[in-house]
Amino acid sequence: MFAGMNASPIQLLGLPFDAKSSFLRGAAQAPDLIRQTLHNGSSNYLAENGIHILEDIDLKDIGNVIVQDYQQLFQALAGHMRPDVPTVSLGGDHSITYPIVKALHDKRGTFDLLLFDAHTDLYEEFEGDRYSHACPFARIMEDGLVSRLVQVGIRSMTKHQHQQAGRYGVEIIPMRELDRMDTLSFANPLYVSIDLDGFDPAFAPGVSHHEPGGLVPRDIINFLHQLDAQIIGADIVEYNPIRDHAGITAALAAKLLKELAGIIGMGNG
């Protein structure tokens, strides 16, 4: 066991669901492909803080949640989210974050939420669907599930989304003002949601919505490692292998999974 570390277990959960995608399907294939990349031998299991995620911490892969209908996610996730065990979830499209956060809120009350994304996903409804992957954070804020929502890397924001951000008190750090991220701190336990299209397509071509001018992985990994907050859960979403090249995006997703597991396992915050 790594000296001085928190040995609390961490759950790994796959949510192969993309029925709420608005442009392209494919994200349902992501969880197992990210797992395969994590275990394919191209890299080792050491996070950058020295944690071996299979030997130094109790990382339990509890498999995939398979549902036919979006509403079934709420009941299914209620049975998997635990107040004392952080869960890293692999999407799937971003619609899964709402039922995850609701299930976690029901178990432990409110917390803060940090989103890395190109888009705010704050639409009241999108193409007639209030549960589209373009809407999860409107539903989260509407239900009062988190005490604070900070969104980093935003670079495609409509007038309606600006209005929604103001309505719900969402803190936006647009891509052009990324240096503001360095001053972020969180007083409450923290949930982290990572949409892979938040990264520049050069680093993450395997997403449905390419938004050039995005985040650089090194900056986000460094930020997560220095963040003084208790991370109680996370998700990595919107990997679409149909658009990936040579597994570049799968490798990034697996890297983020490894670093999050190492940070949570170390008892960050």
Side-chain angles (χ1 to χ4, degrees), residues 38-116:
L38 180 68
H39 298 300
N40 70 8
S42 65
S43 185
N44 59 39
Y45 295 109
L46 283 162
E48 293 186 12
N49 60 5
I51 295 294
H52 190 294
I53 66 167
L54 299 187
E55 296 177 358
D56 294 329
I57 59 177
D58 186 10
L59 178 63
K60 297 180 181 294
D61 190 339
I62 59 174
N64 292 337
V65 169
I66 307 296
V67 298
Q68 302 302 315
D69 177 79
Y70 183 70
Q71 294 302 320
Q72 294 173 349
L73 283 173
F74 292 88
Q75 181 176 356
L77 286 165
H80 285 292
M81 293 297 123
R82 294 172 53 185
D84 57 335
V85 178
T87 300
V88 179
S89 301
L90 303 177
D93 68 37
H94 220 154
S95 70
I96 67 168
T97 301
Y98 172 41
I100 291 171
V101 168
K102 186 177 190 320
L104 191 56
H105 171 270
D106 290 347
K107 295 293 176 71
R108 61 172 301 146
T110 60
F111 42 86
D112 293 344
L113 198 160
L114 172 62
L115 168 67
F116 296 103

